Amino acid sequence: SIIAPTSNSTGAWTFTSSDPTIASVSGNSLTALKPGKITVTAVQGPAAKFGSSTPIISTVIVKGRQSLTAPANIEKLAGDPNIVIAYPASQSTGKWTATSSDAAIAAITANSITLGNAGNATITLAQEATETWIASSVTFTIRVFGVTPTLGAFSPLEVAVGEKLVTPKVPLSNSAGKWIYSSSDPKVFAVIDNIITGVAIGSATISAYQQPAGKYGQSNTLQTTVTVKAAPVVTPTPTPSPSASPSASANPTAAIAPKASASLSKRVISIYAVNTGSASVIAMIDAKIVKIGKHTVAPGNRKVSVFVDGRLIYSRAFNVK
């Protein structure tokens, strides 16, 4: 709606558009049709003692809003050549800019994208506003797949009953990804908090792979054998008895044997172990390694076993309802 200028005449006003294809005028109503810049001329006709007014010109800017088509999502391999940015077709002359949500994966350099680490990054293409177009933007995703690491040989491992391999010898790799282990038989050796722990004398297969890191994806899985040996026997050094107490050497104090027990309350199995000292203690419910303490289990027959330095000291079956 066009508001006429203030006047001391009662003459009728006429409004005219300089380009009706951009904005048309009908009476005192202006209709915007497409982005652009026009002038609207207002003239008041004669009335009573007043003649026609001089033209009064006002500028009208019609702003457009675009619906741009985003580029298709891209999938590449780490190390692939740079990607040239293709900006969407636009009616605006506004300046384009490109930004990345993660420069470590996809970095913007001038009008190209440099690929880095494996992962996903969102690319935003934004066009600045102009006099006749408002700002607009579109996004698309770049998914960079990691290169498969090159691995060396996985040599067999050895561990003693109750021993923990905190830093086992791993295969050579060009990736810095963390190694993840699993055991084919937890009754021979177990993997607790990703640490290989000897349970009982024997051998079993260990599987290992590397997690993604940097430009490298997850590695292939390697396997080798873990041999569990008997724990070394430690002979305590006898303590000389004072000459004034000859009976002390004749009645040495016997070592207190470790003990374990378990109880069931509803669906909670509680496992206890005492007198274990610094020995390696491993508890199991069925074939799963668990910690000493309380565990909620599913209904069915559940077998509880407790090993101390690889020796079974407790075993009991529970019928959980």
Side-chain angles (χ1 to χ4, degrees), residues 7 11 16 32 34 37 41 70 74 79-80 90 95 101 124-125 133 137 159 176 187 206 209 214 230 253 308 313:
S7 173
T16 306
K34 68 179 183 181
K37 183 178 180 180
T41 302
I74 297 174
D80 278 353
S90 172
K95 179 182 177 182
S101 64
T124 300
L125 306 180
W133 291 96
S137 65
V159 63
K187 294 180 181 179
I206 184 171
Y209 69 89
T253 303
V308 174
I313 68 166

Side-chain angles (χ1 to χ4, degrees), residues 89-266:
S90 172
Q91 301 177 68
S92 170
T93 58
K95 179 182 177 182
W96 283 99
T97 56
T99 55
S100 171
S101 64
D102 192 333
I105 296 173
I108 306 298
T109 306
N111 284 329
S112 67
I113 302 171
T114 302
L115 304 179
N117 295 337
N120 295 332
T122 299
I123 307 299
T124 300
L125 306 180
Q127 190 174 30
E128 293 181 351
T130 64
E131 185 178 47
T132 55
W133 291 96
I134 65 174
S136 55
S137 65
V138 292
T139 62
F140 66 97
T141 299
I142 292 182
R143 184 180 183 185
V144 181
F145 294 97
V147 179
T148 302
T150 301
L151 305 179
F154 195 7
S155 301
L157 302 174
E158 286 189 352
V159 63
V161 173
E163 181 185 1
K164 296 182 179 180
L165 291 181
V166 180
T167 55
K169 187 176 181 180
V170 296
L172 293 176
S173 173
N174 51 3
S175 170
K178 179 182 177 181
W179 285 95
I180 303 298
Y181 308 104
S182 61
S183 171
S184 66
D185 190 350
K187 294 180 181 179
V188 176
F189 79 89
V191 178
I192 305 173
D193 296 331
N194 208 42
I195 296 176
I196 302 166
T197 304
V199 176
I201 297 174
S203 63
T205 300
I206 184 171
S207 299
Y209 69 89
Q210 272 187 305
Q211 291 181 329
K215 67 177 183 179
Y216 295 98
Q218 181 173 308
S219 75
N220 295 325
T221 298
L222 299 182
Q223 292 183 326
T224 192
T225 301
V226 174
T227 301
V228 181
K229 304 180 298 183
V233 178
V234 179
T235 304
T237 302
T239 302
S241 302
S243 57
S245 305
S247 61
S249 61
N251 297 287
T253 303
I256 302 176
K259 294 182 179 180
S261 62
S263 63
L264 173 65
S265 176
K266 295 182 180 180

Side-chain angles (χ1 to χ4, degrees), residues 186 283-290:
M284 302 180 72
I285 297 179
D286 295 333
K288 181 180 179 182
I289 303 292
V290 297

